[in-house]
Amino acid sequence: MLDGLRDFAKSWPGKILGAFLLVGVAGFGINNVIIDLGSNTVARVGNEEISAREFLRAYQSQVSAITTQLGSVPTTSQAESMGLPTAVLLRLSEGAALDGLANQFGLGVSDAKLGQMLREDPSFHGTLGTFEPAIFSQTLQRAGWTEAEYFAARGSEARREQLADTLFAGATLPAIANDLINDYATATRTIDYIALNETNIETPAEPGEAELAAYLADHQSEYRTVETRKVKLLDLSLASLAATKSFDESAISAEYERIKDNLTTPERRTIEQVALNTPERQALFEQGLAAGDDFGALIAQAGVTPSSLGTLARAQVTDTRLADAAFALDEGAFAIIDGIGGKRAVHVAEIEAEGQPSLDEVRAEVIERLGTASARNEISDVLDQIEELRAAFQPIEAIAGRFGLTVHEADVTVSGAELSVLPNLAPADYPRVAQAIFQAQDGQLIPSVALGGNAHVWFDLEAVEPARDQTLAEVRDEVTAAINEQRANEALLALGAQIVTRLENGEALADIALELNLFPQISTPFTRFGSEDGTIDSTLAAAAFAGGPDHKGSTVTETGEFIVFEVVDISEPDEPLAAQALASINNEARTGLYSEFVSALRDDAGLRVNQQTLTQLLIQNFGE
């Protein structure tokens, strides 16, 4: 049912209902811009200020999210074109408006509540899933927060929750709205149907030369080549330069002896624990420990399942008491230690001993280390030499031969996908190199493409194959198939329309199916969004719900099947919405009302923006 309701939310009736709930938010914009708020204040909502530090922190969070998608940090002008500063200001102004109302009502948050919120924040939980002060301090430091700022933010969050719970906790949709949603989302229909295929129509006549030429002329944009550029490529990176190095056995052995201690894998232990949160359970495990009983037998007797902390090295266990106990036990043994919530039994299920690989096992890694170290010392000098040779118009192959590097050839399109021939080029860099290739001019000195980590790519442009229209001789088979498919589809659509007319005139679908050597099928009951087993997709379901109880029709499904159907049964909801679904709908309604309320509250308080400070802040931190 919830899936149906989610689909309803995406449908036009659902969008219309959402529009009524959110109409107050849609027309809001930033206006009344002033510059007299002080250099440390970006905006003010009523008497509540949005500081430069607060805005910058929220803006940086949004920029980080967008950078992950774009692959680069947007400049101020790029961010403004995306509406990023406005979006951040609107979000912060919502909180400021609520803070102003909370202050008017005199709402507050106790230290006990703040402490509870801190302990329950998963950002500060350690290995055992409990609050760790060290993690709390480290996380705040990395995020650039002080403890005072953190508690102030959580306090504001708690006051806003109080407002929302007080004002909108009892808000629900009217009963008639619930009934309409229930009917839309859960009403079902059953159909008889047949699937037409090409055996039910005459084979289309093969198109003649004139038809082929006319079709190609009408659809020429679908039959074009893409511009292709033939290039020879040379990449210089630590990896490519390291691959040119060779080392004798004595050097490899010496390097292995030097680093073998660093190659050692630490001892790891699979750790489990059981909370001894009842006197009976604690007594059972204490007696079992004293008697040397097996841990498996004790948990079976207690009827509990231990929680696994994973297979960890000692350095990975942040709880000192747990680490000391677990790494002092033999495999299969357990100990009882104190914890924040009481005593717990700690069990070591398996021990992976410390290990050190042999030279043969890590030979490739040792050679790679040697090669990388040598390349790191030489790469700047090699780069300078290659640039000098390129300035002297030396070809790629001659330069590669001089330094033992490999030349790669590729026919590159604008997407750059063909650049996968460069083994050391990251896919994220394909567009940059492809752009350089398509900007290059034949006969001109082509500069290198600089990449990260002192890596560069050079290329020689060998040939350019411009995009062009394909001739009929090149695409005759494709055009012939397209015309035949089009004619077959038109014939199937016409046949479907004829069958629907016969059904409406009283003929039986089974008799028509017999004429066509088809077998009519009966569907399972399905909603407007299709059947659970997938045999009725949303397109066919929408066609079946487009008419009344005896509706007949034809449609093409999402998979391209030509279906003719008739509705044989309808079912209206015989039960009200399930409690979980009703709660979800009412929660969505409260969310919409809450958003509209916050927007009106912000409008009433008035949003004033210090545009000068805002612009300076963005340019100083992110550039123009």
Side-chain angles (χ1 to χ4, degrees):
M1 178 178 288
L2 286 176
D3 289 335
L5 291 171
R6 293 188 186 97
D7 291 330
F8 166 70
K10 300 175 184 175
S11 66
W12 281 112
K15 292 176 180 177
I16 292 172
L17 177 60
F20 280 113
L21 295 174
L22 300 175
V23 67
V25 179
F28 182 78
I30 293 181
N31 52 23
N32 196 21
V33 176
I34 64 173
I35 58 173
D36 62 349
L37 299 180
S39 61
N40 291 323
T41 300
V42 171
R44 179 181 292 155
V45 181
N47 294 323
E48 300 298 319
E49 293 186 348
I50 299 174
S51 68
R53 182 178 173 85
E54 182 181 4
F55 172 83
L56 193 59
R57 182 183 292 127
Y59 185 82
Q60 180 63 63
S61 177
Q62 289 294 103
V63 165
S64 297
I66 291 178
T67 299
T68 302
Q69 300 173 4
L70 300 181
S72 61
V73 179
T75 63
T76 298
S77 58
Q78 291 172 332
E80 287 177 346
S81 68
M82 293 184 285
L84 187 59
T86 299
V88 172
L89 270 180
L90 291 179
R91 182 165 59 84
L92 292 175
S93 65
E94 289 180 355
L98 289 171
D99 289 342
L101 184 61
N103 290 334
Q104 292 179 34
F105 287 163
L107 299 181
V109 184
S110 67
D111 290 343
K113 176 64 176 176
L114 286 175
Q116 178 187 349
M117 295 172 71
L118 174 63
R119 291 190 297 273
E120 293 175 353
D121 193 329
S123 303
F124 312 129
H125 287 178
T127 307
L128 300 179
T130 56
F131 174 73
E132 291 283 352
I135 296 177
F136 171 63
S137 299
Q138 293 167 4
T139 303
L140 290 191
Q141 185 176 8
R142 284 196 302 268
W145 286 62
T146 65
E147 290 190 13
E149 288 175 329
Y150 172 81
F151 285 114
R154 295 310 302 270
S156 295
E157 178 184 326
R159 287 191 293 273
R160 295 167 193 169
E161 289 178 0
Q162 289 181 52
L163 281 174
D165 292 342
T166 301
L167 296 174
F168 301 103
T172 59
L173 283 176
I176 185 65
N178 292 334
D179 292 340
L180 289 172
I181 294 172
N182 190 21
D183 178 70
Y184 187 90
T186 62
T188 63
R189 293 195 171 188
T190 304
I191 59 172
D192 285 345
Y193 66 96
I194 55 175
L196 306 178
N197 57 65
E198 293 184 1
T199 63
N200 303 130
I201 58 174
E202 294 184 2
T203 302
E206 287 293 314
E209 287 296 312
E211 292 174 301
L212 291 171
Y215 183 91
L216 179 59
D218 291 340
H219 299 82
Q220 188 66 72
S221 62
E222 301 172 22
Y223 298 94
R224 283 182 56 81
T225 64
V226 296
E227 181 178 340
T228 303
R229 297 195 163 203
K230 181 181 291 293
V231 293
K232 290 183 178 180
L233 300 135
L234 172 67
D235 78 292
L236 176 67
S237 63
L238 286 176
S240 64
L241 190 57
T244 66
K245 307 299 179 183
S246 60
F247 304 94
D248 58 30
E249 191 63 27
S250 61
I252 296 173
S253 298
E255 178 66 9
Y256 171 74
E257 291 298 325
R258 188 182 70 83
I259 66 171
K260 66 180 181 181
D261 290 341
N262 297 330
L263 301 177
T264 300
T265 56
E267 178 186 309
R268 302 199 309 161
R269 298 188 170 211
T270 302
I271 305 171
E272 301 174 330
Q273 68 173 358
V274 172
L276 307 180
N277 48 14
T278 65
E280 295 78 14
R281 186 180 299 172
Q282 180 176 333
L284 173 65
F285 277 82
E286 287 176 344
Q287 292 169 7
L289 181 62
D293 292 342
D294 178 67
F295 183 77
L298 290 173
I299 61 173
Q301 185 177 348
V304 296
T305 300
S307 58
S308 176
L309 303 181
T311 303
L312 307 170
R314 186 185 182 102
Q316 295 175 289
V317 183
T318 57
D319 186 323
T320 304
R321 187 184 295 112
L322 173 63
D324 291 341
F327 281 82
L329 292 171
D330 295 330
E331 184 172 315
F334 74 96
I336 297 175
I337 64 174
D338 292 325
I340 296 176
K343 290 186 178 296
R344 48 192 164 137
V346 177
H347 173 239
V348 175
E350 184 180 0
I351 297 177
E352 295 180 4
E354 178 182 271
Q356 188 176 79
S358 66
L359 173 58
D360 289 338
E361 291 174 321
V362 293
R363 179 178 296 275
E365 182 180 345
V366 172
I367 294 174
E368 181 181 351
R369 282 172 175 263
L370 287 170
T372 301
S374 177
R376 187 174 289 110
N377 293 330
E378 298 178 13
I379 191 166
S380 295
D381 183 52
V382 172
L383 173 60
D384 291 340
Q385 293 183 57
I386 292 178
E387 290 287 21
E388 290 176 1
L389 293 170
R390 288 296 287 171
F393 291 92
Q394 291 295 308
I396 288 290
E397 290 177 325
I399 297 173
R402 179 169 177 172
F403 296 101
L405 297 169
T406 302
V407 174
H408 303 272
E409 296 187 13
D411 294 328
V412 181
T413 59
V414 71
S415 70
E418 301 79 8
L419 293 169
S420 59
V421 298
L422 292 172
N424 302 311
L425 184 65
D429 291 324
Y430 292 176
R432 187 189 307 178
V433 178
Q435 183 180 26
I437 291 173
F438 274 79
Q439 289 176 344
Q441 299 293 323
D442 191 22
Q444 295 183 357
L445 178 63
I446 302 173
S448 65
V449 182
L451 306 172
N454 219 12
H456 289 71
V457 171
W458 294 267
F459 62 90
D460 281 342
L461 184 59
E462 299 290 307
V464 177
E465 183 67 33
R468 59 175 178 82
D469 292 341
Q470 293 177 290
T471 65
L472 180 58
E474 292 176 295
V475 294
R476 178 181 299 275
D477 292 343
E478 293 91 329
V479 172
T480 300
I483 292 175
N484 287 336
E485 182 181 3
Q486 178 180 313
R487 290 176 173 176
N489 290 345
E490 291 172 349
L492 287 169
L493 288 173
L495 177 60
Q498 294 171 9
I499 295 173
V500 171
T501 300
R502 293 174 63 181
L503 291 173
E504 291 173 342
N505 290 334
E507 293 190 52
L509 182 63
D511 295 338
I512 298 173
L514 185 61
E515 292 178 13
L516 299 171
N517 292 321
L518 298 173
F519 294 96
Q521 303 177 61
I522 185 168
S523 73
T524 57
F526 56 88
T527 69
R528 297 175 189 270
F529 315 108
S531 61
E532 293 183 357
D533 60 8
T535 56
I536 306 297
D537 63 23
S538 59
T539 300
L540 179 52
F545 274 87
D550 58 350
H551 178 51
K552 285 89 173 168
S554 64
T555 191
V556 181
T557 68
E558 295 169 6
T559 57
E561 286 188 293
F562 291 79
I563 302 295
V564 180
F565 66 88
E566 61 179 351
V567 176
V568 296
D569 185 44
I570 63 173
S571 175
E572 302 297 334
D574 54 6
E575 295 181 358
L577 285 169
Q580 185 179 3
L582 186 61
S584 178
I585 291 173
N586 285 327
N587 184 61
E588 291 295 325
R590 282 191 293 271
T591 299
L593 290 171
Y594 176 74
S595 297
E596 187 173 352
F597 168 77
V598 172
S599 177
L601 184 65
R602 177 177 50 197
D603 285 344
D604 185 60
L607 170 59
R608 294 170 292 171
V609 179
N610 189 336
Q611 191 64 48
Q612 182 178 356
T613 296
L614 175 62
T615 302
Q616 290 176 348
L617 190 66
L618 292 175
I619 293 177
Q620 288 173 0
N621 288 276
F622 299 95
E624 297 188 16

